[in-house]
């Protein structure tokens, strides 16, 4: 040890001289941040951290002996860094957590830069109390020899280094519970790794491992094991002996098989085997709901192992997994398989592009100008934009879009809709089910544009030749169209959709027990001219009615020619042929047809109301306040059938008034929430217009937002009893004018839907002007104007949604385990305080740095909090819309960001939507 000190003596002397020169800088006035805070010494965010630490060691203040947490940046001169670390063991003998990380600086492309740390002084092995060591984002090529001698070490983080191997001595750490060595160059693991009997979490993803030692089965306490993105071709059978294992991640390897014993692990809740070379999987795993197998050639024949000499080797297709901070990726003529951070998957076959192409993507919030829906369609996903637009591929590209399963699939189908040649069309779509509530819409796309998933009535189409043909409905076999020979001179495309109306809805509308209607038939054609010969249409008679017993005076054939909203009774103008089950009639041009059986007069007007009822959704509006923070208000628009279940789930954390009375809304209808009577929205949210929070209602998507409110009234004198009112906005273009006019006739309150009370409790005098003032947090704005901001209010909303998942999110954000323990201790019995302190402390460190918002979204996704990640993306998208609108107003919008104008694009025909 004396020799070591002698060798470092010149460096220490020079460093101490430099530290003395920096004394004025360290203590430069009252605005300088304190270096010592209790038992914590944070030097990683300030320049010259090594000099500051040496200066403190030279002063030897009594508080220095009490320091247990030290954070120091490794973006320092290597000699100065080595000299500084040599003093740590002597000056900080009670150290429990040591964080020596790089990554605080970024290059021009935004990538984290590695620190200069290449080794550690041997004296650090004398830190007898050290339980947490973080050496991530450095330049380590071998593990420092002092590390395996730190007998109390419980967590060791070595990610983002240049390690090619781990020493056998690592197995001598008796207390190690967490080991992370991701993003290194490991090609093999030491056999002594299996001796770590206390190890609970092991992350070895993003390395070069091609085999695992059988001794890995000795990790008796291991609960989480990640080996993703390596080169593993097989797994040892000893993995089946990990009886404590709950999570096993093996995606993106070269596995051809897996041990059968994995299916019998008693505690396993997730097994990720995506994107391997698996062709044969044990049946127990195939049927297990916790196993993910996408991207494997299951069931395909094995390649011939005796290929003739000289047979060219087909290179393996590259696989890309994009993180949330990336919005583009390259595609070469070799092809590739890409998984976007939002869950969308694409596969470019070899030869799809003749040259290298950079693909860009963006997720847009659904709104009417980007969501072309037919009269009976429902939106099931967000809007995905893929660029460059219109560039044709030499081979079709496979696209998988994740969507919300529709509540009812009877006589309906799910399709991917895209913009092509200034008009929207539907692609042939195949559904793939990954889990009971996780479905993919798979389609082939010839070029890139905008894509979304919709649910529509079953659609059937055909090409009518001059010889005639027959068209059946696959959703309603009793509906068919007969085209006689000579009906057309040139082939023309025709399409039909059939929409069913529930009998109870009709009876409630007509208040007539015996009333009944047939399915609604929507017909369209590519040629607007009439047919040369009459075409025979067959419709089933209304339910409960037969041709032998019906009263013909009560049977009405109604006709509608879009875009006209009125229905005409044409019973007297056609010859209705009745059989026992069907009604047939002939027409020369296509439109919409509906059979009604009723005693009512003015059937056309009743049909207009009934058709409007087909498109309306009965919903309730709720406004709940968080129990621990009444200033956080949850607003949601729910289908009436989901209200009770949602309230049961929310009322553990929220409280508030009963839901509103049932109101009716159209798919794609805008509405607003306005806080009134002394209550205002506490932020300049991108989704606020004149102080009102904007919504667009889509029946199958989440219509929920959480906002923070404040009051200009004196809450120290008394509680504020305000309210939130919901008002209608613009309705979709396809809504009949008659329905819009009916709302206008209701008078001044036609746009009002509901009002719910909101109460902000009285504040004690000691709490200042607001509850959140006690947080004492400076205003924060993560991000930038072009990519979108997260304001302090947005972060508070995120904090309010994390709940008990916050430690997992914190670890993925780079917060050390020891920091988590300290936060738990300082805010014990206050879960919200723990979450807010963690999130805002991290945000303060990230303020002004590029990519911070992307890191947060990525951490949420890695923590299985996709719901919160989607809400963060929604806030960013709204902010980007505002930014782009401002750019457009000044005529600076780049061509690549041009949005389609619905008024210029061709709207789909109702029967083609």
């Amino acid at each position: 040890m004396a020799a070591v000190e002698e060798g470092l003596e010149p460096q220490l002397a020079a460093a101490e001289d430099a530290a003395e020169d920096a004394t004025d800088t360290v203590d430069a006035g009252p605005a300088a941040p304190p270096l010592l805070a209790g038992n914590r010494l944070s030097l990683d965010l300030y320049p010259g951290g090594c000099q500051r630490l040496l200066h403190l060691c030279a002063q030897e203040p009594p508080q220095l002996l009490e320091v247990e947490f030290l954070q120091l940046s490794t973006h320092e001169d290597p000699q100065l860094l080595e000299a500084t670390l040599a003093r740590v063991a002597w000056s900080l003998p009670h150290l429990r957590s040591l964080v020596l990380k790089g990554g605080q600086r970024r290059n021009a492309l935004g990538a984290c830069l590695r620190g200069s740390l290449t080794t550690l002084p041997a004296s650090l092995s004398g830190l007898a109390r050290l339980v947490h060591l973080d050496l991530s984002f450095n330049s380590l090529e071998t593990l420092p020899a002092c590390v395996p001698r730190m007998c109390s070490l419980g967590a060791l983080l070595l990610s983002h280094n240049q390690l090619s191997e781990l020493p056998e001595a690592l197995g001598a750490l008796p207390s190690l519970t967490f080991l992370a060595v991701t993003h290194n160059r490991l090609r093999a693991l030491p056999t002594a790794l299996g001796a770590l009997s206390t190890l609970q979490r092991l992350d070895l993803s993003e390395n070069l491992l091609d085999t695992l030692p059988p001794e890995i089965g000795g990790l008796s306490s291991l609960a989480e094991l990640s080996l993703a993105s390596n080169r593993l071709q097989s797994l040892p059978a000893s993995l089946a002996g990990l009886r404590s294992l709950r999570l096993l991640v093996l995606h993106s390897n070269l596995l051809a098989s897996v041990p059968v014993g994995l299916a019998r692990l008693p505690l396993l809740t997730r097994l990720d085997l995506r994107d391997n070379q698996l062709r044969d999987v044990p049946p127990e795993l195939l049927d297990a709901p916790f196993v993910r197998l996408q991207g494997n050639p299951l069931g395909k024949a094995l390649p011939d192992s005796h290929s003739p000499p000289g047979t060219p080797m087909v290179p393996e297709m590259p696989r890309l997994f994009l993180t949330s901070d990336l919005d583009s990726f390259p595609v070469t003529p070799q092809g590739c398989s890409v998984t976007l951070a939002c869950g969308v998957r694409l596969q470019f076959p070899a030869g799809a592009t003749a040259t290298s192409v950079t693909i860009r993507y963006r997720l847009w919030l659904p709104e009417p100008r980007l969501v072309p829906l037919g009269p009976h369609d429902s939106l099931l996903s967000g809007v995905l934009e893929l660029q460059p637009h219109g560039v044709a591929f030499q081979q079709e590209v496979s696209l998988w879009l994740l969507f919300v399963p529709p509540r009812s699939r009877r006589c309906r189908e799910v399709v991917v809709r895209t913009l092509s040649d200034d008009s929207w069309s539907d692609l042939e779509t195949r559904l793939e089910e990954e889990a009971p509530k996780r479905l993919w819409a798979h389609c082939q796309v010839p070029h890139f544009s905008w894509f979304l998933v919709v649910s529509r009535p079953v659609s059937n189409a055909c090409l009518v030749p001059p010889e005639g043909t027959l068209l059946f409905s696959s959703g309603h076999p009793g509906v068919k169209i007969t085209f006689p020979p000579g009906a057309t001179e040139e082939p023309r495309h025709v399409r039909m959709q059939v929409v069913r109306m529930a009998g109870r809805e009709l009876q409630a509308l007509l208040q007539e027990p015996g009333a009944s209607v047939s399915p609604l038939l929507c017909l369209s054609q590519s040629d607007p001219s009439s047919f040369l010969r009459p075409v025979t249409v067959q419709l089933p008679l209304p339910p409960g009615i037969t041709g032998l017993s019906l009263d013909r005076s009560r049977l009405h054939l109604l006709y509608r020619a879009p875009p006209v909203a009125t229905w005409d009774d044409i019973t007297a103008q056609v010859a209705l042929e009745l059989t026992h089950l069907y009604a047939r009639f002939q027409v020369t041009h296509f439109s919409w047809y509906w059979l009604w059986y009723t005693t009512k007069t003015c059937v056309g007007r009743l049909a207009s109301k009934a058709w409007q009822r087909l498109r309306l959704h009965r919903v309730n509006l709720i406004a709940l306040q968080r129990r621990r923070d009444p200033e956080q208000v949850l607003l949601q628009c729910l289908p009436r059938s989901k209200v009770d279940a949602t309230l049961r789930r929310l009322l553990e954390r929220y409280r508030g008034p009963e839901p509103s009375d049932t109101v009716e809304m159209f798919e794609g209808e805008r509405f607003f929430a306005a806080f009134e009577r002394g209550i205002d929205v506490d932020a300049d949210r991108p989704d606020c217009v004149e102080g009102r929070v904007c919504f667009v209602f889509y029946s199958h998507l989440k219509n929920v937002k959480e906002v923070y409110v404040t009051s200009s009234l004196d809450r120290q004198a008394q509680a504020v009893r305000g309210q939130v009112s919901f008002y209608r906005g613009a309705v979709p273009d396809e809504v009949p004018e008659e329905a819009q006019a009916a709302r206008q006739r209701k008078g001044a309150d036609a746009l009002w839907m509901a009002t719910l009370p909101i109460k902000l409790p009285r504040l004690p005098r000691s709490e200042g002007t607001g509850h959140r003032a006690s947080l004492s947090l400076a205003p924060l704005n993560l991000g930038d104007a072009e990519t979108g901001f997260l304001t302090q209010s947005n972060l508070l909303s995120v904090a309010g949604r994390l709940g008990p998942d916050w430690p997992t999110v914190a670890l993925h954000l780079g917060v050390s385990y020891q920091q988590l323990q300290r936060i738990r201790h300082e805010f014990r019995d206050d879960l919200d305080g723990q979450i807010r302190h963690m999130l805002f402390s991290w945000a303060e460190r990230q303020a002004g740095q590029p990519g911070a918002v992307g890191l947060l979204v990525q951490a949420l996704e890695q923590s299985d909090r996709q719901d919160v990640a989607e809400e963060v993306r929604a806030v960013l998208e709204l902010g980007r819309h505002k930014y782009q609108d401002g750019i457009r107003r000044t005529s600076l919008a780049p061509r690549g960001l041009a949005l389609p104008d619905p008024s210029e694009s061709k709207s789909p025909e109702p029967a083609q939507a």
Side-chain angles (χ1 to χ4, degrees), residues 535-839:
V535 174
T536 301
V537 178
Q538 175 178 291
L539 277 177
L541 290 173
I545 307 301
T546 66
L548 301 179
S549 59
L550 64 78
D551 181 355
R552 291 188 69 109
S553 65
R554 298 175 59 183
L555 186 65
H556 303 268
L557 177 61
L558 304 179
Y559 159 89
R560 175 179 180 264
V564 179
T566 58
W567 289 84
D568 297 323
D569 190 342
I570 60 171
T571 311
Q573 303 171 26
V574 299
L576 274 177
E577 177 188 349
L578 302 180
T579 68
H580 183 64
L581 298 176
Y582 303 105
R584 299 189 183 99
F585 55 94
Q586 292 185 330
V587 297
T588 56
H589 61 278
F590 273 179
S591 186
W592 292 15
Y593 302 95
W594 210 354
L595 274 176
W596 277 59
Y597 191 75
T598 176
T599 59
K600 301 287 185 179
T601 57
C602 302
V603 181
R605 186 162 55 87
L606 292 174
S608 298
K609 292 184 178 180
W611 183 63
Q612 176 182 338
R613 179 67 62 87
L614 275 175
R615 305 188 55 203
L616 283 170
H617 299 271
R618 294 169 177 79
V619 300
N620 297 94
L621 302 158
I622 63 174
L624 303 176
Q625 295 174 264
R626 194 172 182 86
R627 293 181 180 272
R628 295 195 177 188
D629 187 358
E631 295 178 5
Q632 181 180 352
V633 182
L634 180 145
L635 306 173
Q636 190 166 9
C637 177
L638 285 167
R640 186 172 58 181
S641 59
K642 290 188 174 182
V643 171
D644 292 340
T646 302
L647 289 179
R648 283 195 298 269
R649 177 174 51 86
L650 291 176
L651 287 180
E652 295 182 0
R653 293 173 293 138
Y654 296 85
R655 61 185 172 191
E658 292 292 320
S660 71
D661 293 337
T662 300
V663 296
E664 296 179 333
M665 301 190 72
F666 291 101
E667 184 86 0
E669 181 176 353
R670 293 182 182 272
F671 66 100
F672 303 90
F675 291 92
E676 301 164 340
R677 298 181 63 182
I679 296 181
D680 303 295
V681 178
D682 184 22
D684 183 17
R685 294 170 57 102
D687 57 348
C688 275
V689 177
E690 299 179 352
R692 301 187 301 175
V693 182
C694 305
F695 292 79
V696 181
F697 173 75
Y698 292 107
S699 57
H700 288 79
L701 301 186
K702 294 181 179 179
N703 303 286
V704 58
K705 294 186 180 182
E706 290 198 62
V707 299
Y708 271 86
V709 297
T710 185
S711 176
S712 58
L713 304 179
D714 184 8
R715 291 178 57 192
Q716 294 181 347
Q718 61 181 359
V720 177
R721 299 180 182 273
Q723 63 188 28
V724 57
S725 295
F726 296 88
Y727 298 92
R728 298 186 186 275
V731 297
D733 295 336
E734 296 81 7
V735 173
E737 296 180 0
E738 181 178 315
Q740 300 183 41
R743 288 181 175 177
Q744 295 173 359
R745 286 196 297 269
K746 294 181 180 178
D749 294 333
L751 301 180
W752 174 86
M753 293 191 294
T755 296
L756 299 173
I758 297 291
K759 177 183 177 182
L760 295 181
R762 179 177 177 272
L763 294 178
R765 294 288 178 181
S766 60
E767 289 197 20
T769 59
H771 172 66
R772 282 177 291 148
S774 63
L775 295 174
S776 302
L777 296 171
L780 292 171
N781 280 293
L782 292 181
D784 53 65
E786 184 170 357
T787 59
F789 282 109
L790 284 186
T791 64
Q792 182 180 17
S793 178
N794 300 144
L795 289 175
L796 284 168
S797 179
V798 171
R801 300 294 303 278
L802 293 183
D805 295 329
W806 76 270
T808 307
V809 177
L811 290 173
H812 284 117
L813 286 173
V815 179
S816 66
Y817 177 77
Q818 204 63 37
Q819 286 177 289
L820 295 186
Q821 294 296 89
R822 179 182 57 80
I823 294 173
R824 285 191 177 108
H825 178 74
E826 290 185 2
F827 295 88
R828 52 187 177 274
D829 300 326
D830 183 5
L831 178 62
D832 289 342
Q834 294 173 2
I835 301 172
R836 286 196 294 261
H837 184 84
M838 178 278 296
L839 190 58

Side-chain angles (χ1 to χ4, degrees), residues 14 62 131 139 171 175 193 261 282 294 324 328 363 396 469-470 499 512 568 580 621 654 691 712 757 765 794 817 840:
V131 297
S139 303
S175 304
L193 189 69
Q294 290 73 28
S324 56
S328 64
L363 284 176
E396 289 187 332
T469 188
L470 185 64
V499 184
E512 180 183 357
D568 297 323
H580 183 64
L621 302 158
Y654 296 85
S712 58
R765 294 288 178 181
N794 300 144
Y817 177 77
F840 275 87

Side-chain angles (χ1 to χ4, degrees), residues 301-318:
L302 293 172
D304 188 1
S305 58
H306 303 286
S307 301
T311 301
M313 294 294 294
V314 178
E316 181 185 359
M317 179 177 291

Side-chain angles (χ1 to χ4, degrees), residues 38-53:
N39 61 353
R40 180 190 182 109
L41 182 56
S42 299
L43 299 169
D44 57 333
L45 299 181
Y46 308 120
C50 287
Q51 293 180 352
R52 293 168 183 262
L53 179 57

